[in-house]
Amino acid sequence: MSQDPMDFEWSYWIEWGRERILWLLAGHLLVSQVSRLLVETYKPWCLMIYGMAACWLLLGIKGFAVILLHATISFAVAQFQLSLLTWLCSLILLSTLHIPAVEEAKRKWYDTENEYYLLLFTVSVRCLFCTSFSLEYCWHGPAQKSLHSFLWMLAYVFYYPMFHNGPLMNFDEFSKQASMRKKEIFSLKTNLGILIVGLIRIFFWWCLAELMIHLMYIHALYSSAQPLEAASYWALG
């Protein structure tokens, strides 16, 4: 059975995954486990440096600089501790993605459209993470500001498994998980079990997505008005 060829995003991410992202995720796992065994206290910073290096490798120094600049501006605005100002800053940063002159300049950084779209996807998702951190900074009191430093923001923004396409995890949840892992005693059996369960879950959802593309033809229907006009409202629903 042939695949729906109109699903651009699925084909796009599959291509990137096979080429680089899958290998970079494996590298993240390796760095995570090695730093957990050798330098547990500095694990968040090891993962932060790895995430920055992966960003630099995929998006180039200019793409990396854009994401770092967005994070810096968001953190600076968060110092005013005004939620409205944080939202306004995030909207302005997102709006820069649609300025024709800026778009044209960014396209020139890369050889292919796919590389430019990767930057676009990544910057959009990173903007959500910057917003989450900044809002948490505005809402928390002085006693909780130790976890809301610029270094922690970078550790959160450049955390690689969620770097290009999410999923979104708010900063409070991220910091809680990071602090809980520091207290956990390393167990090879437990960690191996978590890894196997995680791989099974990924394989299951991957197969389900592939099955939907081969059976449902959702994107092909979107691009053709005639079948949609002929269908009843119940069928469309």
Side-chain angles (χ1 to χ4, degrees), residues 71-184:
T72 306
I73 292 170
S74 295
F75 185 78
V77 171
Q79 303 309 301
F80 293 98
Q81 297 188 6
L82 295 170
S83 299
L84 184 61
L85 204 58
T86 289
W87 281 114
L88 188 61
C89 172
S90 298
L91 289 171
I92 291 169
L93 289 174
L94 273 177
S95 69
T96 61
L97 299 176
H98 301 289
I99 298 171
V102 176
E103 282 186 71
E104 206 54 44
K106 287 177 181 174
R107 273 191 167 92
K108 289 176 183 175
W109 297 349
Y110 303 107
D111 297 325
T112 64
E113 279 287 295
N114 275 3
E115 289 173 297
Y116 168 70
Y117 283 129
L118 184 65
L119 173 68
L120 209 60
F121 279 124
T122 307
V123 171
S124 302
V125 175
R126 291 309 91 204
C127 194
L128 291 174
F129 279 70
C130 289
T131 305
S132 172
F133 178 91
S134 299
L135 288 173
E136 301 286 356
Y137 189 93
C138 294
W139 296 336
H140 286 82
Q144 295 168 298
K145 287 287 189 280
S146 60
L147 266 179
H148 291 74
S149 66
F150 186 59
L151 265 181
W152 269 107
M153 183 184 195
L154 293 181
Y156 174 56
V157 169
F158 286 97
Y159 185 68
Y160 195 72
M162 301 182 291
F163 191 68
H164 298 291
N165 213 15
L168 180 65
M169 176 191 287
N170 65 41
F171 179 72
D172 262 13
E173 187 64 31
F174 174 81
S175 59
K176 280 175 190 171
Q177 289 196 21
S179 56
M180 280 170 60
R181 281 170 187 162
K182 284 183 182 179
K183 297 171 187 175
E184 288 175 359

